[in-house]
Amino acid sequence: MAVNNEILIIGPPGTGKTTFLAQLYGRLLEKKGKLQLASAPENIDGIKSAYNKLADGKETEPTPSTDNLEVKIPVIYERQEFVLHCKDYGGEQVRDLVALMEYDKTWIERAKTNDRWILFIRPSEIEQRFDLSKKGYAEKNQKESNLPVFGTSNQSQFIELVQVLLHARGTGMKDPINTPRLLIALTCWDELVTDLTPKGILQQKMPLFTQFITANWLPVAFDIIGVSAQEFPLKTEEDRDKYLDDMPENFGYLVLDDNPREKDLTRLIEKALTL
Ligand SMILES: Nc1nc2c(ncn2[C@@H]2O[C@H](COP(=O)(O)OP(=O)(O)OP(=O)(O)O)[C@@H](O)[C@H]2O)c(=O)[nH]1
Ligand SMILES: [Mg+2]
């Protein structure tokens, strides 16, 4: 069956969805990347204002949970024109999918109509829990005084999220999954300060989740990439000035397995399209 080119970005709050879309928009305007703008996009006020904030050296703001901005950007990729559908919504909605195990019509529609999913995970915010299988009881007992952690781990929440969305789409897991194609984007890569590859980081930070994906997806139908859409935090005056002096499109990079730093952020979309 043909796989369509509709892309769904999925990510809990604060994983950098809006920042990425604003930076992607800047790259498309620049017309230097693999994907280029074909004509003026409609309905991208939210992204434009995030882009303008970055140009002022300010961080983007959390997207309100009630927002459901359907962004449509006409692009040219390999001399073919198509519409890039990227949805910007408040990540709280994604958190609720897992917390309540409920999805509404909007999410059924999203899960069904988009054959290409990009899952945003911010590895620096993934909590590391004690792993008995790796360290043994001696170390566990020393740590016993720490406050107990309740609730499911971040990794299992991501597993549940993927399961909820597959259920909404009506995709079973009896056979290895071919569609939706899945690109796992490890965001805010700059926060990691690491020489590891994106695959290495996912394996290190989320071994259970990695196992879940590799056990259920066809190897050719998923991939992992690192993204730093902003390149550094905008917390200090000095960093904010850098954004003020240069345009936002001078910042940000991808981490591909074969090419550690790729400045062309549009290649993330290319990756999702060529899976
Ligand atoms: N260091 C660093 N910070 C980043 C990067 N991308 C985004 N951030 C910061 O991460 C925070 C969240 O980014 P957003 O783009 O608002 O995240 P979101 O996924 O749209 O969040 P919601 O709208 O709440 O779902 C902001 O403070 C950004 O400045 C990055 O590449 N590096
Ligand atoms: Mg947002």
Side-chain angles (χ1 to χ4, degrees):
M1 228 173 58
V3 181
N4 72 34
N5 284 339
E6 308 241 343
I7 297 173
L8 174 64
I9 292 182
I10 308 156
T15 44
K17 301 180 292 298
T18 306
T19 305
F20 173 74
L21 287 175
Q23 287 288 65
L24 179 70
Y25 172 67
R27 298 297 208 275
L28 291 173
L29 282 180
E30 239 200 350
K31 297 206 171 190
K32 284 194 200 143
K34 275 256 181 158
L35 258 78
Q36 304 194 350
L37 208 57
S39 53
E42 292 166 29
N43 195 19
I44 53 153
D45 292 351
I47 290 185
K48 266 193 197 155
S49 65
Y51 175 82
N52 290 337
K53 284 207 92 162
L54 283 177
D56 280 345
K58 295 183 190 132
E59 296 179 340
T60 58
E61 273 165 22
T63 312
S65 65
T66 47
D67 266 20
N68 275 311
L69 192 60
E70 300 285 327
V71 183
K72 293 185 187 143
I73 310 177
V75 291
I76 301 172
Y77 171 65
E78 310 245 287
R79 273 173 273 157
Q80 289 211 20
E81 223 178 293
F82 75 96
V83 178
L84 188 61
H85 293 249
C86 284
K87 291 88 193 161
D88 193 29
Y89 48 81
E92 290 295 335
Q93 288 184 24
V94 174
R95 192 171 273 167
D96 283 354
L97 289 174
V98 176
L100 310 171
M101 282 285 170
E102 267 177 13
Y103 45 80
D104 60 8
K105 270 202 263 168
T106 314
W107 278 97
I108 295 177
E109 180 76 15
R110 280 181 185 152
K112 281 194 172 158
T113 53
N114 298 281
D115 286 351
R116 301 177 187 276
W117 294 0
I118 305 178
L119 177 61
F120 274 33
I121 300 176
R122 187 173 181 170
S124 64
E125 297 206 334
I126 298 294
E127 54 169 17
Q128 299 286 295
R129 290 221 177 157
F130 183 80
D131 184 350
L132 189 59
S133 66
K134 287 209 181 113
K135 305 220 172 85
Y137 277 106
E139 229 177 293
K140 180 173 181 351
N141 291 339
Q142 278 176 14
K143 296 196 171 171
E144 213 74 315
S145 57
N146 291 349
L147 283 176
V149 190
F150 294 110
T152 49
S153 68
N154 290 151
Q155 313 194 57
S156 53
Q157 284 166 14
F158 273 102
I159 294 174
E160 281 172 358
L161 172 63
V162 171
Q163 281 178 322
V164 166
L165 290 170
L166 286 173
H167 189 259
R169 184 183 162 97
T171 300
M173 292 198 293
K174 248 169 58 189
D175 299 312
I177 299 169
N178 179 45
T179 322
R181 303 291 156 83
L182 180 67
L183 181 63
I184 299 170
L186 302 178
T187 62
C188 305
W189 186 269
D190 55 286
E191 294 174 332
L192 298 170
V193 195
T194 178
D195 292 331
L196 289 177
T197 60
K199 278 189 191 75
I201 285 287
L202 192 72
Q203 177 64 39
Q204 184 201 58
K205 298 250 175 192
M206 302 173 80
L208 188 67
F209 177 78
T210 309
Q211 208 176 353
F212 168 78
I213 297 296
T214 43
N216 286 295
W217 254 267
L218 279 175
V220 291
F222 79 95
D223 208 350
I224 305 156
I225 191 170
V227 191
S228 175
Q230 200 173 275
E231 202 162 327
F232 43 82
L234 292 173
K235 304 284 180 211
T236 65
E237 202 66 44
E238 200 190 337
D239 285 339
R240 285 194 284 269
D241 281 348
K242 280 197 229 166
Y243 260 77
L244 271 172
D245 294 343
D246 292 308
M247 295 301 282
E249 49 271 25
N250 287 309
F251 302 106
Y253 57 85
L254 302 176
V255 184
L256 309 169
D257 268 347
D258 54 338
N259 181 355
R261 289 278 190 278
E262 165 64 59
K263 292 295 282 178
D264 180 5
L265 290 181
T266 72
R267 289 199 62 195
L268 184 129
I269 303 297
E270 178 188 46
K271 261 260 186 236
L273 291 174
T274 50
L275 264 178

